[in-house]
């Protein structure tokens, strides 16, 4: 004899918000893969729809254009890159070493083909300068500003404008990043960039004996 059958438990239905988030994630994953391999210009909207297994209506329900989808992919990359840099910086024993390690990690990330294509190349062609700055201000620039403020608060760096210094370091990092991405021998350029950034950041170290 067999025992009484247990009632089958129904899986809870996803809410509208959960379904929407899942669709957005599918679109971002498919778009990131295609943008990183083919570039923005050579990726058709139809390619993204097919890769995501969704309809054109689903795409345009969440993003009003291919450029808007790219913007979301770019912001996702910025967030992931910043999280990586902060993790590296926080592993260091002091604030100035953390700032240096974070800058080095940013430059090393420029060897990544995905970072090169989406963050360093296509973003400057697809997005406006204001859009770029707005997104960078919430991620890379914010991380730099916080790192500098921590270094100042710890006494490792003399009192100064953390905001202006963050802008200047980000500008230098951005130029170095583009040089690495465009170089025929990117590892050689990376080596030179790391050496120069080490020298530059050493100059920030507080020297009370002077």
């Amino acid at each position: 004899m067999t025992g009484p059958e247990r009632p089958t438990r129904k899986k809870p239905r996803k809410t509208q918000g959960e379904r929407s988030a899942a669709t957005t994630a599918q679109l971002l994953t498919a778009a990131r893969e295609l943008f990183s391999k083919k570039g923005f210009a050579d990726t058709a909207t139809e390619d993204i729809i097919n890769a995501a297994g969704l309809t054109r209506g689903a795409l345009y329900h969440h993003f009003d254009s291919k450029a808007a989808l790219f913007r979301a992919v770019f912001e996702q990359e910025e967030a992931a890159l910043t999280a990586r840099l902060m993790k590296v910086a926080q592993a260091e024993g002091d604030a100035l070493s953390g700032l240096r390690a974070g800058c080095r990690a940013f430059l090393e990330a420029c060897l990544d083909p995905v970072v090169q294509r989406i963050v360093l190349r296509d973003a400057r062609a697809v997005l406006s300068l204001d859009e770029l700055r707005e997104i960078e201000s919430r991620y890379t620039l914010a991380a730099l500003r916080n790192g500098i403020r921590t270094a100042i608060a710890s006494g490792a760096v003399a009192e100064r404008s953390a905001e202006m210094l963050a802008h200047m370091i980000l500008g230098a990092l951005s130029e170095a990043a583009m040089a690495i991405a465009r170089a025929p021998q990117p590892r050689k350029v990376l080596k030179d960039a790391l050496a120069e950034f080490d020298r530059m950041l050493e100059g920030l170290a507080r020297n009370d004996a002077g």
Side-chain angles (χ1 to χ4, degrees), residues 78-95:
E78 275 283 303
L81 179 58
T82 301
R84 192 191 323 171
L85 307 184
M86 291 178 67
K87 184 177 180 180
V88 169
Q90 290 165 0
E92 294 296 316
D94 62 85

Side-chain angles (χ1 to χ4, degrees), residues 26 76 97 109 122 132 152 154 165 186 189 193 197-198 206 210:
Q26 284 176 260
Q76 184 176 259
S97 295
D122 281 0
L132 274 173
I152 292 172
S154 72
L165 185 55
V189 178
F197 260 88
D198 279 346
R206 184 166 185 163

Side-chain angles (χ1 to χ4, degrees), residues 61-123:
H61 178 73
H62 292 83
F63 301 98
D64 59 17
S65 64
K66 186 175 75 165
L69 177 55
F70 178 86
R71 186 186 190 281
V73 171
F74 170 70
E75 182 161 354
Q76 184 176 259
E77 291 302 305
E78 275 283 303
L81 179 58
T82 301
R84 192 191 323 171
L85 307 184
M86 291 178 67
K87 184 177 180 180
V88 169
Q90 290 165 0
E92 294 296 316
D94 62 85
L96 189 56
S97 295
L99 182 62
R100 181 184 291 112
C103 289
R104 290 180 68 90
F106 176 88
L107 294 173
E108 288 165 352
C110 296
L111 295 179
D112 183 338
V114 177
V115 173
Q116 287 186 5
R117 172 71 80 170
I118 294 176
V119 177
L120 301 179
R121 293 179 180 171
D122 281 0

